[in-house]
Amino acid sequence: MRLTQAISQFLQTVEHQYGYSAHTVRAYQNDLDRFAAHLKTKHAQTLENVATITLEIMRDWLWELQEQGKSTATISRNIATLKSFGKWLEERELVEINPATRLSTPKKQHTLPRVIGEKQIENLLINLRQAALAGEAAAQRDYAILELLYASAIRVSELVGLTDSDINLAEYTLRVTGKGNKQRIVPFGKPAAAALKLYLEAGRLQLASKNSAGLASSKIFLGNRGGALSSSGVYRIVAKHLKSLSGGGPQGPHTLRHSAATHLLNGGAELRVVQEMLGHSNLASTQIYTHVSTERLAQTFKQAHPRA
């Protein structure tokens, strides 16, 4: 089988049979397209028959990525993609054995996520609320987005997937669809509810009216032209507003998720509760936020204690 045909069938399998999210499928496609481009340059014969792809050929591509200065996280993700693709090839008997089985994932660089201070976020949301009350649709949407991301700690992919039926303003809850199409109920507070209500009753209607195709989107959050807002669109919105805050590090939606989780733990929330709220299948994924809290404690001790 030709490589392009195998990649196409693999992507269909992970989307329709495995139920992977559109974001994950897109990441697989991007990785495999880059892999195919590499093969076209250095191992053109493999394009005609996937059975000729070997462990050494895969390692050659990964070495090239390393030479290009790609991060450990990027290389690890590409290895995971090759392993999943190789496993699929083996299951379909397109190769005798998965050539990616012996690929070693590089050790993770343990960096703590950026956490924004509670006072900084409070001041930011106060300013966004004032802008939203002025009546501009985009300002009302941006206010609702940042309030909800911080209040609920949901992923950006979960935010853009929200529809009318997913929000219960009376009970202050969201129904979100996370990784692997797993659904969960997530609470949010009164400030986020007020921001959502303002946006839904005014800003969203104004944005929907700008849709030139005349097609009403079922998604809660809309772009400036009235269509459903994309994950990259949310990233740009959040980054624009976080840019004004002091401190370095990432400025995207995940920063609000990290901050919310850390603030919950600092406020006394149980780790298992935070795990459920974040939609982590493994408690170890949530425990990084305890490290963040511990580091803050250590910093405070060193700065304040006379015997530190």
Side-chain angles (χ1 to χ4, degrees):
M1 180 181 289
R2 288 179 57 83
L3 178 62
T4 53
Q5 184 182 0
I7 290 175
S8 177
Q9 291 187 16
F10 168 71
L11 294 174
Q12 291 177 23
T13 299
V14 296
E15 180 178 8
H16 300 298
Q17 292 186 26
Y18 300 169
Y20 289 0
S21 69
H23 176 77
T24 300
V25 175
R26 196 159 51 244
Y28 274 148
Q29 182 173 5
N30 291 337
D31 291 344
L32 291 173
D33 284 348
R34 284 190 289 268
F35 179 52
H38 168 80
L39 297 183
K40 185 177 181 180
T41 303
K42 294 192 174 182
H43 308 279
Q45 75 282 358
T46 59
L47 300 176
E48 299 298 324
N49 185 0
V50 293
T52 61
I53 297 175
T54 64
L55 173 65
E56 288 69 28
I57 288 174
M58 289 183 170
R59 282 176 171 165
D60 181 50
W61 179 52
L62 296 170
W63 174 254
E64 184 176 279
L65 293 179
Q66 188 173 351
E67 288 293 292
Q68 293 171 359
K70 300 298 184 184
S71 68
T72 300
T74 297
I75 293 174
S76 296
R77 192 197 67 232
N78 280 283
I79 290 174
T81 296
L82 290 177
K83 286 188 173 184
S84 295
F85 183 52
K87 181 181 179 182
W88 180 86
L89 291 174
E90 184 178 5
E91 289 173 348
R92 300 301 186 282
E93 298 183 351
L94 297 174
V95 295
E96 289 187 11
I97 188 169
N98 179 357
T101 301
R102 292 172 56 196
L103 289 177
S104 299
T105 303
K107 292 183 178 180
K108 289 184 178 180
Q109 298 168 333
H110 292 287
T111 55
L112 295 174
R114 180 192 181 192
V115 175
I116 303 172
E118 294 179 38
K119 192 63 179 178
Q120 281 186 302
I121 291 183
E122 181 183 354
N123 290 336
L124 172 66
L125 294 175
I126 287 173
N127 292 334
L128 288 174
R129 180 175 181 273
Q130 291 174 346
L133 291 175
E136 186 182 350
Q140 292 173 353
R141 176 201 60 205
D142 293 2
Y143 174 45
I145 285 175
L146 271 82
E147 273 281 13
L148 196 58
L149 283 173
Y150 178 60
S152 62
I154 60 176
R155 302 177 178 94
V156 64
S157 59
E158 296 167 348
L159 179 93
V160 297
L162 291 173
T163 63
D164 290 316
S165 61
D166 294 325
I167 296 181
N168 189 327
L169 286 173
E171 297 185 3
Y172 303 104
T173 58
L174 301 171
R175 182 180 66 228
V176 299
T177 303
K179 293 183 177 180
N181 281 331
K182 292 181 180 178
Q183 290 191 338
R184 68 185 189 280
I185 302 298
V186 181
F188 57 88
K190 291 182 179 179
L196 273 172
K197 186 176 181 183
L198 175 63
Y199 166 66
L200 292 173
E201 293 179 352
R204 185 175 180 235
L205 299 177
Q206 293 179 43
L207 292 173
S209 68
K210 297 180 181 180
N211 190 327
S212 59
L215 300 173
S217 174
S218 62
K219 303 299 184 185
I220 291 294
F221 291 105
L222 306 179
N224 293 338
R225 297 182 179 179
L229 191 62
S230 66
S231 295
S232 59
V234 174
Y235 186 97
R236 286 192 294 271
I237 289 169
V238 174
K240 178 182 70 174
H241 294 295
L242 295 189
K243 187 168 61 175
S244 62
L245 302 183
S246 61
Q251 297 176 345
H254 227 63
T255 299
L256 292 174
R257 178 172 162 88
H258 292 322
S259 300
T262 303
H263 296 166
L264 280 166
L265 289 170
N266 286 344
E270 294 182 8
L271 192 61
R272 289 284 184 185
V273 173
V274 177
Q275 177 194 5
E276 180 68 22
M277 188 169 175
L278 295 176
H280 285 160
S281 57
N282 191 326
L283 189 62
S285 299
T286 316
Q287 286 175 328
I288 187 173
Y289 299 108
T290 65
H291 301 328
V292 174
S293 300
T294 303
E295 185 178 84
R296 296 291 182 275
L297 178 62
Q299 288 176 351
T300 302
F301 173 77
K302 289 177 182 179
Q303 292 171 0
H305 200 288
R307 304 285 288 179

